[in-house]
Amino acid sequence: MSTIEIALPQVRKATVGISLRKIVYRSAAIVGLLAVWELAPRLGLVDSTFLPPFSDVMVAWWQLLADGQLLDNTLASLGRSLTGFGLAVVTAVPLGLLIGWYKPVAELLGPLLEVFRNTAALALLPVFVLLLGIGETSKISIVLYACVWPILLNTISAVRTVDPTLLKLARSLDLPPIRLFQKVILPAAAPTVFTGIRLAGAVSILVLVAAEMVGAKAGLGYLVNAAQFNFAIPQMYAGIVTISVIGVVFNQLLVALERRFTSWRRDQLS
Amino acid sequence: MIGLRAVTKDFGDFTALAGVDLDVAAGEFVVIVGPSGCGKSTLLDLLAGLTAPTSGQLLLHGKPINGPGLDRGIVFQQYALLPWRTALGNVEFGLEATGVPRRERTERAREFLDLVGLTGFEQRHPHELSGGMRQRVAIARSLAYDPEVLLMDEPFAALDAQTRESLQDELLRIWERTGKTIVFITHGIDEAVYLGQKVAVLTSRPGRVKRTVQIDLGNRAEVRDLRSSEKFAHYRHEIWELLHDEVARAQRLEVAR
């Protein structure tokens, strides 16, 4: 027993050491980018009017945070993209399961879905604005629309690529269709469905920001666009940095969720 | 117990099986051996009730087989384990289908994992197990819900030679202990002779039973290296002769295609 008690803290210290070094190593490129961003304008390599040093951008960011503009615009954007994204998940997953399960339906709709997926959602933005106006509805709708395709197509292919021997096994056990779905198809499809959801997460922010730049009175896309219009360049960059941070955080959250639901797969992949 | 009467199976204008006759007694270990593409797996699917014959009859206890059922358990070559479930969860899967109460399920699953020598591996996922261990889990799963017949479709084909031999011994031990009827499909002559009480040799396409050979290797416990015994060599040669022409014919068909 005593040896174990001694050994444990040592192991823990070692893993902390490794992960710390890993963190330093993995953030080196980002730190490097920020350093170049800071130094290039200061050394006169680029015009600091158009690319202010990173520290100036941070100061502007802090001011935006202090006067509440940043929070208001962020909440406006998040509300829209999460609503659109959430609606896409709750509609596209069940729909994908259904389409994937009925082979003739999948074959019938396959080409059409491919056409829609490969039509850039933003190309349809004018159509959405025409039909739904420039209010919240059209913005949420375009996010919903853009998020539906990756989820739908991944879910369909997830169902269609379930290991056929597992289906044969279920059949040999005379499993009723509902049980088959619940015990075999859903868990087998989960990893691929999650990949689609994660793609949709990235898409939701991408499309929303672009939509907000075209016509909006709030949101991060509006903030960036308005700042550029008023020649508030540091504020513009502050908005851009906020967007990319939100994108990264959202993606990490979805990755964590994915890991939780498909933990059996983790060691298999690594 | 199981009777096949002139069983024929066509897929379009391709005949996989043409008039297969075979009888399997209760508790018997029958091996079906044949060249590749002779319809062995089709035969097993028919016995499992996963497909229906084009003509002829498959009987279980004198009644025609008309669908899958829990009186027959299948062991697949590719194991067919659910990767998201542990070894224990996979064995329980079969029991869930039979409606065994939850508490009893775990108990039964443990018992059968123990039977195949996997005590201590209950919480492992399939990807943490070797091929041999995975197949043991699959065998435990099929045995746990207590089918009368075990249908095995080249279950050891993907394993290395040593693992295969040890699993063959294990299977014989399990068979003796449980008294199950086993229909075992293989393309290996050694495996057929070693395992079978009766070996049915199939012809190449279209498949039918060329001959059935009764195997009597005497008391297994008495012989140390059964595979090197004279009796074993005799049976091995007999089946080799029967198969030899079929393999050659299968290859000609393969080339002609």
Side-chain angles (χ1 to χ4, degrees):
Chain A
M1 275 312 280
S2 60
T3 45
I4 294 171
E5 279 165 7
I6 294 163
L8 229 127
Q10 278 178 339
V11 169
R12 211 171 273 164
K13 207 191 280 173
T15 47
V16 168
I18 289 167
S19 60
L20 194 70
R21 204 190 303 163
K22 211 170 164 186
I23 289 168
V24 169
Y25 184 76
R26 297 201 27 178
S27 50
I30 290 173
V31 172
L33 172 76
L34 295 182
V36 171
W37 188 349
E38 181 65 32
L39 293 175
R42 291 203 184 280
L43 298 174
L45 297 174
V46 290
D47 190 338
S48 61
T49 321
F50 300 122
L51 184 68
F54 183 64
S55 54
D56 289 4
V57 173
M58 281 294 95
V59 170
W61 188 85
W62 186 251
Q63 282 164 354
L64 285 173
L65 186 71
D67 67 15
Q69 274 194 64
L70 193 66
L71 195 64
D72 289 347
N73 287 309
T74 303
L75 288 179
S77 287
L78 278 183
R80 290 166 185 154
S81 71
L82 288 181
T83 308
F85 170 78
L87 287 173
V89 172
V90 299
T91 51
V93 171
L95 198 64
L97 292 173
L98 224 64
I99 295 174
W101 186 236
Y102 293 104
K103 213 176 264 177
V105 183
E107 272 160 21
L108 180 74
L109 295 180
L112 187 67
L113 297 180
E114 280 298 322
V115 169
F116 274 114
R117 182 180 61 164
N118 288 304
T119 308
L122 287 174
L124 290 169
L125 186 56
V127 180
F128 277 83
V129 172
L130 270 179
L131 294 176
L132 301 168
I134 56 164
E136 293 301 293
T137 322
S138 77
K139 283 180 197 64
I140 290 170
S141 303
I142 190 105
V143 172
L144 166 64
Y145 175 86
C147 287
V148 154
W149 306 112
I151 300 175
L152 191 63
L153 288 156
N154 270 279
T155 306
I156 293 171
S157 93
V159 174
R160 303 218 49 195
T161 52
V162 173
D163 183 355
T165 47
L166 293 185
L167 298 178
K168 204 167 166 182
L169 167 78
R171 246 169 25 95
S172 78
L173 288 171
D174 218 1
L175 228 55
I178 294 177
R179 291 274 164 270
L180 169 73
F181 221 82
Q182 172 205 350
K183 294 193 173 188
V184 181
I185 295 183
L186 276 184
T192 316
V193 173
F194 263 106
T195 307
I197 290 178
R198 209 149 42 78
L199 285 171
V203 163
S204 73
I205 290 170
L206 193 90
V207 171
L208 179 73
V209 168
E212 285 173 344
M213 285 182 165
V214 174
K217 293 198 171 55
L220 289 167
Y222 161 78
L223 178 75
V224 170
N225 217 32
Q228 191 245 14
F229 195 72
N230 297 321
F231 219 72
I233 302 301
Q235 281 74 10
M236 179 190 84
Y237 281 110
I240 295 172
V241 168
T242 308
I243 290 165
S244 66
V245 168
I246 288 174
V248 170
V249 169
F250 195 27
N251 188 57
Q252 286 308 111
L253 278 176
L254 291 173
V255 168
L257 203 65
E258 183 177 5
R259 288 234 176 103
R260 234 190 103 74
F261 276 93
T262 60
S263 56
W264 53 272
R265 220 171 166 233
R266 203 179 314 160
D267 325 274
Q268 206 173 7
L269 296 177
S270 62
Chain B
M1 177 181 182
I2 300 175
L4 281 76
R5 307 274 172 268
V7 170
T8 298
K9 178 71 184 175
D10 299 331
F11 295 101
D13 51 4
F14 167 80
T15 304
L17 298 168
V20 174
D21 289 295
L22 187 67
D23 281 292
V24 181
E28 198 174 21
F29 197 136
V30 174
V31 177
I32 296 169
V33 63
S36 69
C38 70
K40 297 188 293 275
S41 294
T42 309
L43 197 58
L44 204 92
D45 284 355
L46 287 164
L47 284 168
L50 296 173
T51 50
T54 311
S55 67
Q57 262 194 318
L58 292 107
L59 305 169
L60 183 66
H61 289 306
K63 279 182 227 131
I65 293 172
N66 47 20
L70 293 160
D71 46 5
R72 287 148 286 153
I74 312 186
V75 178
F76 299 91
Q77 187 187 330
Q78 308 88 338
Y79 322 129
L81 297 181
L82 308 170
W84 55 90
R85 286 196 178 206
T86 58
L88 194 69
N90 267 287
V91 179
E92 286 176 354
F93 182 68
L95 293 167
E96 287 163 22
T98 57
V100 174
R102 186 186 297 266
R103 236 175 314 136
E104 204 179 313
R105 261 185 241 154
T106 314
E107 205 178 301
R108 275 261 280 279
R110 280 184 193 283
E111 191 183 308
F112 278 90
L113 279 175
D114 183 52
L115 177 72
V116 298
L118 283 181
T119 306
F121 292 92
E122 292 90 349
Q123 298 308 325
R124 299 284 186 93
H125 282 88
H127 65 90
E128 297 168 309
L129 299 171
S130 68
M133 289 164 123
R134 287 181 205 181
Q135 196 56 290
R136 284 168 194 258
V137 175
I139 292 170
R141 174 176 63 198
S142 300
L143 289 169
Y145 59 87
D146 201 25
E148 291 174 73
V149 188
L150 212 52
L151 304 170
M152 308 185 83
D153 189 2
E154 305 203 30
F156 307 147
L159 304 174
D160 65 81
Q162 254 134 32
T163 311
R164 189 183 309 136
E165 284 189 12
S166 76
L167 271 173
Q168 285 168 353
D169 287 331
E170 195 93 343
L171 181 62
L172 285 172
R173 188 178 61 79
I174 289 167
W175 172 59
E176 277 160 12
R177 247 176 81 175
T178 59
K180 300 281 175 209
T181 309
I182 299 183
V183 179
F184 188 106
I185 281 179
T186 182
H187 58 257
I189 300 173
D190 285 47
E191 188 167 66
V193 175
Y194 191 73
L195 292 175
Q197 282 182 306
K198 183 160 90 183
V199 174
V201 181
L202 291 193
T203 61
S204 64
R205 240 171 46 218
R208 58 184 173 75
V209 178
K210 186 170 187 173
R211 195 180 306 164
T212 56
V213 180
Q214 292 290 337
I215 307 278
D216 182 12
L217 294 170
N219 188 350
R220 284 168 182 276
E222 276 174 14
V223 193
R224 252 178 75 82
D225 183 4
L226 199 65
R227 291 179 178 85
S228 309
S229 71
E230 213 170 288
K231 272 183 177 169
F232 191 92
H234 162 78
Y235 285 121
R236 194 189 180 287
H237 183 70
E238 183 177 351
I239 290 167
W240 186 87
E241 284 286 350
L242 286 167
L243 265 176
H244 183 71
D245 302 341
E246 297 308 323
V247 173
R249 209 159 68 83
Q251 275 165 355
R252 277 201 305 279
L253 280 170
E254 201 81 23
V255 171
R257 192 151 52 160

